[in-house]
Amino acid sequence: MIETLLPEGVRASEAFGPDGAAVLYPEEAALVAAATEGRREEFTTVRGCARRAMAALGLPPAPVLPGRRNVPLWPAGVVGSMTHCAGYRAAVLARDADLVAVGIDAEPDLPLPGGVLESIALPQELAWARTPAAGPAGVCRDRLLFSAKEAVYKTWYPWVGTELDFEDAALSFRADEGGQGGEGARRGTFRARVLRPGTAPDGRPVTGFSGRWLAHRGLVVTAIAVPARRTAGAAGDPAPYDAAGGVGHPGR
């Protein structure tokens, strides 16, 4: 499911239930030794997904340990992202020669708990989220907004390295033409305009992202992938990474 939202070169693995074959490295197991059974299961299963994605990239298996702000620490030369929610776990990986950043998130396609929407949404987002989606199989807009903002942060922080709050990105959404996809799936795109831009490791400003979303099997899944191959801007004026997912140009 998640792979349909990502470009070529990304390797994805997902699970819709516990993975009895997944095994933790000792240093991973130590992190959840005192956790509940449910937490240990999701932690283990999503790392099983990560190691299958590593294998698909031709990499040997390796532990996935949390770094600063719990960002997963990937093997050298790799970018990746993981997510888990009730009934779903997934990991995606890519070579850093193909992507400079990637972020995914999955949530149940159910309304957010009371008060959460107001704490994450800008005024224009709040109005959109409170407008029911058209059609009998409409996605829960508040949950879609939450998931997309999570994907923005998961893309931003490992790459740019600075904090980003929910109100620091303004999101807008579009549904694909034709409404429902195969097997009742709904899908579309979103754009995130970062209101507190940062700087990528190559020195270029990061002003936003584009991503894709999918509502299917009782889940809302969002994904952002930032390609590594870029066209340079004018000398001394590097082109920013913009919300369209490409490189913007001065004055655009």
Side-chain angles (χ1 to χ4, degrees), residues 11 16 32 39 53 63 73 97 100 119 125 132 136 154 157 178 188 214 225:
R11 298 294 180 262
F16 293 88
V32 289
R39 170 58 181 152
L73 300 176
V100 293
S119 70
E125 297 169 337
K154 289 180 178 182
Y157 186 78
L214 171 68

Side-chain angles (χ1 to χ4, degrees), residues 5-233:
L5 304 181
L6 293 160
E8 292 184 10
V10 179
R11 298 294 180 262
S13 178
E14 59 192 0
F16 293 88
D19 181 357
V23 177
L24 294 178
Y25 283 81
E27 55 267 49
E28 293 173 328
L31 297 173
V32 289
T36 64
E37 181 178 351
R39 170 58 181 152
R40 286 196 301 272
E41 180 277 314
E42 67 184 15
F43 184 94
T44 303
T45 296
V46 78
R47 278 158 177 77
C49 293
R51 285 189 263 279
R52 287 192 293 274
M54 289 179 193
L57 274 181
L59 299 172
V64 183
L65 301 174
R68 187 166 177 252
R69 300 287 293 175
N70 287 322
V71 171
L73 300 176
W74 301 109
V78 170
V79 297
S81 184
M82 299 191 298
T83 188
H84 52 75
C85 69
Y88 187 74
R89 292 86 170 87
V92 301
L93 295 178
R95 301 278 185 180
D96 61 9
D98 296 321
L99 297 182
V100 293
V102 62
I104 64 170
D105 187 72
E107 303 287 336
D109 191 4
L110 297 169
L112 288 169
V116 174
L117 176 62
E118 293 77 9
S119 70
I120 68 161
L122 296 171
Q124 64 270 29
E125 297 169 337
L126 193 62
W128 174 84
R130 286 175 169 168
T131 303
V139 62
C140 287
R141 287 186 168 189
D142 58 348
R143 189 70 74 157
L144 173 57
L145 175 65
F146 180 87
S147 180
K149 290 212 172 194
E150 286 286 301
V152 168
Y153 185 83
K154 289 180 178 182
T155 306
W156 172 276
Y157 186 78
W159 185 32
V160 178
T162 60
E163 299 291 337
L164 197 69
D165 293 327
F166 284 113
E167 65 268 22
D168 290 331
L171 274 64
S172 59
F173 296 84
R174 292 187 64 181
D176 285 354
E177 293 293 332
Q180 289 185 224
E183 300 181 354
R186 294 181 64 85
R187 63 182 69 234
T189 60
F190 64 92
R191 291 169 64 102
R193 180 169 55 91
V194 178
L195 306 179
R196 190 175 63 182
T199 304
D202 65 5
R204 278 182 263 188
V206 182
T207 60
F209 304 109
S210 65
R212 295 198 60 82
W213 62 267
L214 171 68
H216 189 42
R217 297 181 63 164
L219 300 165
V220 174
V221 184
T222 53
I224 297 169
V226 183
R229 297 181 178 87
R230 303 290 181 174
T231 302

